C-alpha cells in the first residue's frame, strides 16, 4: 500500500480518538513487507496515562506482539508531527521510517517547535517523510478543537 493509504488507516484511528473525546491523533506501524503490525490512537484521557499518545500506544502494542522492544525495518505512520516524548520512543525502538501528516507548531519535535533530529545527538535517525495527507490530518484536528471551543469545553 502507498503512504497515503497507510495514512488513511492512521486517520481512521484518529477518528476513533475524536469519537472518544480524545485529541484526534492516530498511528499505524507497518513492517517492511507491508503488513500492519499495530494500530492505535491518542488515549491519555481515557486511560489516565499522560504517555498514551498514539505513537506510544502503537509502539507498545507492536513490541508486545513481536516480543521485542526494537522495531527495525518498520514504518510509523502518524497523523500529527510527533512531540519530544514520541520522538524519543521511536528512536529507542529503532523505527526505520517515520511518515507524518500535519505539522504541530506548538509541540512538534521534527520540523516545528523543535528539530530534534538536526542536533546530531541521536544514535538512530529514521528516514523522514512529512506532509502526507497533511490537509486532511489538520482538518480533523481543527474541526475537533472548533467543536470544543463552541461547546465551551
Amino acid at each position: 500500500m502507498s503512504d497515503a493509504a497507510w495514512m488513511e488507516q492512521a486517520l481512521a484511528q484518529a477518528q476513533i480518538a475524536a469519537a472518544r473525546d480524545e485529541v484526534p491523533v492516530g498511528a499505524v506501524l507497518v513492517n517492511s513487507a507491508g503488513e500492519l503490525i499495530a494500530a492505535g490512537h491518542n488515549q491519555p484521557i481515557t486511560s489516565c496515562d499522560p504517555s498514551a499518545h498514539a505513537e506510544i500506544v502503537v509502539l507498545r502494542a507492536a513490541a508486545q506482539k513481536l516480543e521485542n522492544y526494537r522495531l527495525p525495518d518498520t514504518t510509523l505512520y502518524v497523523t500529527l508531527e510527533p512531540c519530544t516524548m514520541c520522538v524519543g520512543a521511536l528512536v529507542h525502538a529503532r523505527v526505520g521510517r517515520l511518515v507524518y501528516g500535519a505539522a504541530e507548531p506548538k509541540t512538534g519535535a521534527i520540523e516545528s517547535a523543535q528539530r530534534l533530529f538536526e542536533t546530531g545527538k541521536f544514535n538512530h535517525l529514521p528516514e523522514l517523510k512529512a506532509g502526507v495527507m497533511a490537509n486532511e490530518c489538520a482538518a480533523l484536528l481543527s474541526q475537533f478543537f472548533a467543536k470544543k471551543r463552541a461547546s465551551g469545553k
Side-chain angles (χ1 to χ4, degrees):
M1 286 191 352
S2 68
D3 286 343
W6 285 116
M7 190 60 73
E8 285 178 6
Q9 299 271 333
L11 271 165
Q13 288 294 316
Q15 291 166 344
I16 294 169
R20 295 179 178 167
D21 209 29
E22 297 273 5
V23 174
V25 178
V28 296
L29 188 74
V30 178
N31 67 19
S32 59
E35 300 165 332
L36 178 69
I37 300 171
H41 53 80
N42 265 10
Q43 46 191 284
I45 298 167
T46 53
S47 67
C48 298
D49 178 357
S51 69
H53 290 195
E55 302 95 322
I56 303 294
V57 169
V58 166
L59 293 176
R60 285 179 178 154
Q64 289 295 311
K65 181 177 181 176
L66 300 176
E67 298 181 339
N68 191 344
Y69 75 108
R70 298 284 197 219
L71 303 168
D73 302 318
T74 59
T75 299
L76 178 65
Y77 293 89
V78 61
T79 58
L80 187 65
E81 178 183 1
C83 70
T84 302
M85 173 182 68
C86 293
V87 165
L90 70 93
V91 166
H92 285 289
R94 304 295 193 269
V95 169
R97 186 168 178 250
L98 170 65
V99 178
Y100 64 91
E104 172 39 286
K106 292 183 180 178
T107 62
I110 307 292
E111 67 174 285
S112 298
Q114 300 178 66
R115 295 175 172 264
L116 293 181
F117 288 128
E118 293 178 15
T119 66
K121 302 294 183 184
F122 289 108
N123 61 346
H124 172 75
L125 297 173
E127 177 187 330
L128 299 172
K129 185 173 183 182
V132 174
M133 298 184 68
N135 292 337
E136 295 88 340
C137 295
L140 182 59
L141 287 156
S142 294
Q143 292 163 5
F144 176 81
F145 286 113
K147 191 181 212 182
K148 284 278 194 197
R149 286 189 296 277
S151 70
K153 289 185 179 180

